[in-house]
């Protein structure tokens, strides 16, 4: 898509008033819940963040060893391990298993890894039926949209819009109360759970020492998808490996408050093996797909590898002043928001996803709230350097061809002004003088018209240059 095409999508989302209201309501609630929980329940949240950061960095430094240990122990437990180098290979593994078992539909718990591989579209092309069972995922599947958020995929729709979707797509009565909407979804999915053979899930933590996987959720659909089926397939990004249950517990204590502002999820599903002899439930087979998809390339980078510490809590999206104005779809990536801006160009190529790094004000909120202290704002800034060919140029599909000539010209002129005291003061004086004249015509002036489309015209004091000169005089004394 062209550079202008990306801008058009952003402008479309900014003009959607209902979208902005929906996002603001949810973001404000999530941020408030998180803040209140941390203040009331945690005696030293910052120390816990430090532990999480150190744990993830230690794990990444030994990822090859821990992956082999996980494969060995999981295989002993009866799991069948598959390695997928990319999205195509992961999808082909699932397709082959469905063909082998004579399965035509698969019920899915929430899995961002399957969104990353575009599994649903792949299976539909093969004539197979992937069915989302997470409430948010079900809503967006009914209207053929991708998730708008990595934790809450349908937060861009309010309860009235969801009621209309259920009425149109499921033939249900038009409802708007959450309890009745949940009931509609349960009735719709119950018949699917009664007759399915294969379920799919993501993985929150894969424990190397035990060869087990840990899934967290709030609806119970994940437990149904992984327990009531004959065959369970779990897609696990290789960065989800941790060494022990103790490590996973630390990360879980960071993830849940950051994601939803709750102390714990309703369901914690720890799966240690397929169904054993004498057990009444559980799948007969469990297949775990360890997905690379350029993660090992990220891991090799001495700086950007930090982004693999992400535990997919989504709190950086919740606090982002850009995301809550435009929503996840404007990023045109499976992973939106600050973490998406960091990992998408690395996973999928700067040439295709370089536009994302512009969707950031560099306010630093994301770095401040990340539970494992990923320096997201710093990484976004450095990826901007990579994008224009000023970095180390070792990112996938990055040849420095994404330079914006107009932007380069403007920044060069700004640098010249900002590094010359007399020129800078002269520029401030002129800006203050012409501001009242420019204000009525701002919507027609190149550069300014983009600013005033969604912001107030900047107010410049007539004494601005004098104030700056006085400040500089104080500094120099």
């Amino acid at each position: 898509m062209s550079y202008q095409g990306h801008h058009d999508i952003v402008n479309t989302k900014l003009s959607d008033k209902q979208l902005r209201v929906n996002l603001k309501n949810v973001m404000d609630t999530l941020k408030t819940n998180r803040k209140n929980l941390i203040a009331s329940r945690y005696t030293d949240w910052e120390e816990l963040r430090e532990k999480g950061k150190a744990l993830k960095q230690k794990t990444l430094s030994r990822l090859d060893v821990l992956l082999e240990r996980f494969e060995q122990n999981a295989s002993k437990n009866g799991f069948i391990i598959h390695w997928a180098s990319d999205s195509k290979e992961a999808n082909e593994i699932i397709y082959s298993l469905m063909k082998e078992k004579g399965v035509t539909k698969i019920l899915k718990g929430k899995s961002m890894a399957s969104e990353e591989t575009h599994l649903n579209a792949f299976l539909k092309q093969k004539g197979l039926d992937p069915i989302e069972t997470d409430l948010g995922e079900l809503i967006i599947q009914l209207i053929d949209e991708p998730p708008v958020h990595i934790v809450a995929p349908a937060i861009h729709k309010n309860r009235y819009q969801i009621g209309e979707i259920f009425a149109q797509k499921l033939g249900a009565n038009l409802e708007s109360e959450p309890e009745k909407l949940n009931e509609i979804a349960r009735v719709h999915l119950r018949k699917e759970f009664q007759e399915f053979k294969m379920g799919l899930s993501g993985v929150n933590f894969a424990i190397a020492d035990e060869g087990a996987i840990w899934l967290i959720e709030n609806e119970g659909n994940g437990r149904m998808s992984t327990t009531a089926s004959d065959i369970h397939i779990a897609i696990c990004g290789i960065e989800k490996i941790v060494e022990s249950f103790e490590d996973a517990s630390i990360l879980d204590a960071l993830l849940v408050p950051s994601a939803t502002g709750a102390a714990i999820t309703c369901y914690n599903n720890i799966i240690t093996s397929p169904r054993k002899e004498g057990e009444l439930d559980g799948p007969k087979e469990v297949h775990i797909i360890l997905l690379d998809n350029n993660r090992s390339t990220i891991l090799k980078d001495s700086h950007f590898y930090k982004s693999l510490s992400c535990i997919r809590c989504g709190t950086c999206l919740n606090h982002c002043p850009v995301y809550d104005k435009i929503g996840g779809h404007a990023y045109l990536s499976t992973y939106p928001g600050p973490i998406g801006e960091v990992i998408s160009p690395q996973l999928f190529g700067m040439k295709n996803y370089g536009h994302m790094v512009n969707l950031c004000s560099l306010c630093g909120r994301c770095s401040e709230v990340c539970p494992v202290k990923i320096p997201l704002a710093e990484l976004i800034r450095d990826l901007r350097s990579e994008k224009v060919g000023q970095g180390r140029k070792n990112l996938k599909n990055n040849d420095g061809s994404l330079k914006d000539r107009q932007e380069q010209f403007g920044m060069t002129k700004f640098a010249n002004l900002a590094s010359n005291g007399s020129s800078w003061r002269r520029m401030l004086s002129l800006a203050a003088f012409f501001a009242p004249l420019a204000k009525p015509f701002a919507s027609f002036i190149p550069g300014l018209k983009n600013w005033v489309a969604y912001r107030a015209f900047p107010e410049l004091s007539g004494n601005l240059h004098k104030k700056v000169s006085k400040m500089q005089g104080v500094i120099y004394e």
Side-chain angles (χ1 to χ4, degrees), residues 36 60 62 67 77 86 114 163 173 183 201 204 206 302 321 329 337 361 381 418 459 467:
N36 292 342
L60 292 173
R62 304 173 57 234
L67 281 166
N77 291 341
D86 55 26
S114 72
N173 294 330
E183 183 180 2
S201 74
N204 290 102
S302 60
H329 293 160
S361 68
R381 183 197 64 211
E459 295 293 336
K467 292 179 181 179

Side-chain angles (χ1 to χ4, degrees), residues 45-78:
W45 176 254
E46 291 306 310
E47 181 184 2
L48 188 61
R49 288 179 71 204
E50 282 292 344
K51 286 183 178 180
K53 172 186 174 182
L55 187 162
K56 285 297 296 185
Q57 292 192 355
K58 180 182 176 182
T59 298
L60 292 173
S61 71
R62 304 173 57 234
L63 191 58
D64 54 345
V65 174
L66 295 178
L67 281 166
E68 290 180 359
R69 188 187 304 174
F70 175 78
E71 180 184 31
Q72 181 180 14
N73 290 330
S75 298
K76 286 180 183 178
N77 291 341

Side-chain angles (χ1 to χ4, degrees), residues 240 333 385 387:
K240 298 295 184 71
S333 172
S385 295
K387 175 185 173 182

Side-chain angles (χ1 to χ4, degrees), residues 21-40:
V21 169
N22 294 349
L23 289 172
K24 186 178 187 306
N25 288 340
V26 177
M27 299 295 100
D28 286 351
T29 300
L30 291 173
K31 287 187 290 187
T32 301
N33 289 348
R34 172 188 176 277
K35 180 180 177 180
N36 292 342
L37 180 74
I38 290 172
S40 63

Side-chain angles (χ1 to χ4, degrees), residues 102-314:
V103 173
T104 58
K105 71 177 179 180
I106 182 169
L107 267 61
K108 298 177 62 192
K110 193 171 187 312
S111 166
M112 284 306 296
S114 72
E115 297 287 349
E116 177 184 327
T117 66
H118 302 291
L119 175 65
N120 287 8
F122 175 85
L123 292 180
K124 287 178 181 177
Q125 288 179 349
K126 300 290 186 180
L128 302 174
D129 194 10
I131 299 172
E132 300 288 355
T133 64
D134 174 88
L135 179 57
E137 294 282 356
L138 169 64
I139 292 165
I140 60 172
Q141 186 178 41
L142 289 173
I143 55 177
D144 196 26
E145 286 187 2
V148 78
H149 191 285
I150 62 177
V151 174
I155 56 169
H156 59 308
K157 300 294 183 184
N158 62 32
R159 57 195 177 102
Y160 301 102
Q161 292 170 311
I162 294 169
E164 291 174 358
I165 292 170
F166 283 174
Q168 293 170 7
K169 302 296 183 178
L170 300 180
N173 294 330
L174 184 61
E175 303 286 356
S176 61
E177 293 303 315
E179 294 81 2
K180 292 183 178 179
L181 295 174
N182 281 323
E183 183 180 2
I184 291 170
R186 282 198 301 270
V187 170
H188 169 70
L189 290 171
R190 191 166 291 144
K191 61 180 181 295
E192 302 290 355
F193 280 122
Q194 288 174 346
E195 53 189 33
F196 83 121
K197 294 183 178 180
M198 182 176 286
L200 181 138
S201 74
V203 174
N204 290 102
F205 313 109
I207 297 95
D209 286 350
E210 303 293 338
I213 57 176
W214 185 344
L215 290 72
I216 60 177
E217 48 140 342
N218 281 312
E219 298 176 21
N221 65 300
R223 181 166 293 182
M224 288 288 288
S225 298
T226 60
T227 303
S229 57
D230 291 335
I231 304 156
H232 169 208
I233 301 173
I235 308 181
C236 177
I238 58 174
E239 81 282 11
K240 298 295 184 71
I241 298 289
V242 295
E243 187 165 11
S244 64
F245 273 118
E246 289 77 9
D247 290 348
S249 297
I250 291 171
L251 295 179
D252 181 61
L254 286 163
L255 191 160
V256 181
S258 299
T260 62
I264 190 171
T265 54
C266 297
Y267 295 87
N268 281 269
N269 306 314
I270 298 174
I271 302 172
T272 57
S273 73
R275 184 191 305 184
K276 295 179 181 178
E277 187 175 348
E279 292 181 338
L280 300 179
D281 62 7
K284 298 174 183 177
E285 292 181 20
V286 179
H287 298 260
I288 301 175
I289 300 172
L290 295 172
L291 175 66
D292 187 331
N293 208 28
N294 288 317
R295 288 164 171 79
S296 57
T297 303
I298 299 174
L299 188 63
K300 290 188 292 187
D301 191 288
S302 60
H303 183 50
F304 292 117
Y305 84 94
K306 298 170 188 174
S307 59
L308 290 178
S309 294
C310 177
I311 55 176
R312 301 293 190 268
C313 69

